[in-house]
Amino acid sequence: MATVAYSKPNITTVKESVKKQISPEIAAKFGAWPDLMVHRFIVARKGDLNKAAEMLTKHLQWREEYKADVVLDEDFPGIADDYKSGFCGFDFKSNPVYVEFPGKANPSKILDTYSTDFLLRWHVCIMETGRKIYSMKQAAGVFVIIDASGLSMGHASKAAISYFKMQSAVDEANYPEHLAYCFIVNASMIFTTIWKMVSVFVDPITREKVKVLGGDYQETLKQYMDTSLLPPNLGGSKDMPTASWGKRDEKWKTCNPATATL
């Protein structure tokens, strides 16, 4: 994670500053936050403790208003069938691996079927699941693999880009240092065009963690993880993961982080 060294005194300073700016109700929940999570906000603000405290304060207030603490208890019917994605094991550094297949989705159908509020809350649920897992494992973040095969310019419609911009803003404000790294595989010229359109909405630090690969990606992936854990269409032997969030995956609420597996 880090370009900024871990410092217990700095974390304490940020925590004390935040506590002065939040309500007692929010402060009670904040008391259980691990130091490593606070450190992510310090890293995101390049070691500026005042800016880190401001960012974290806004995040905690957002969590309260958005009711992010209960999103893992919700269900999101239908979307798991319309957008294939899920968690499927860990890499060699204990980062949870999350795969998604946007090219298999019909973006027009998704945006017509589900409201942007529904899609955004579903996305937050995925982010909260990832955060819960890597926090338990004390890992750097989520290792994302995106299969870009099947993408078309239909995936870059005005409505789709508008939603992506909204989603990116939520991620940047509330999930600092969430991404360990991201590999985009089976990338074509169409993907390159789409990436140029949407990457401007992605935080520069996050963009640096994205590696675009073509169809010859297996050897690269093998340097990071046991690829047998992936679905067959990514060269593995496991079934396509089911939606691992919300009511669809109860095990992350009680599992032992020392022995957690996906």
Side-chain angles (χ1 to χ4, degrees), residues 15 30-31 35 57 71 84 86 103 106 108 110 113 118 144 151 155 160 162 167 178 198 208-209 213-214 232 257 261:
K15 280 186 170 182
F30 179 52
D35 288 352
T57 298
V71 73
K84 301 298 182 183
N106 182 329
S108 296
I110 288 175
T113 302
F118 175 96
V144 177
L151 285 178
H155 290 82
S162 177
Q167 177 179 294
H178 182 87
V198 302
E208 292 176 2
K209 299 177 182 179
L213 305 173
T261 57

Side-chain angles (χ1 to χ4, degrees), residues 7 20 48 67 70 93 103 118 135 184 187 191 193 236 251 255:
S7 166
K20 295 176 183 177
D48 187 316
K67 294 181 170 50
V70 300
K93 295 183 177 181
F118 175 96
S135 294
I184 300 172
F191 168 78
T193 300
K251 63 184 177 182
C255 70

Side-chain angles (χ1 to χ4, degrees), residues 22-30 33 56-71 121 124 128 174-175:
I22 56 179
S23 68
E25 293 78 15
I26 299 177
K29 298 177 183 178
F30 179 52
W33 267 50
L56 182 50
T57 298
K58 290 180 178 178
H59 169 66
L60 293 170
Q61 292 169 341
W62 170 83
R63 293 189 69 84
E64 190 72 7
E65 294 168 4
Y66 197 72
K67 294 181 170 50
D69 289 334
V70 300
V71 73
R121 194 155 182 84
V124 167
E128 287 291 310
N174 297 290
Y175 297 95

Side-chain angles (χ1 to χ4, degrees), residues 137-156:
K137 300 288 271 188
Q138 296 188 350
V142 177
F143 175 17
V144 177
I145 301 174
I146 299 175
D147 183 355
S149 61
L151 285 178
S152 69
M153 292 309 297
H155 290 82

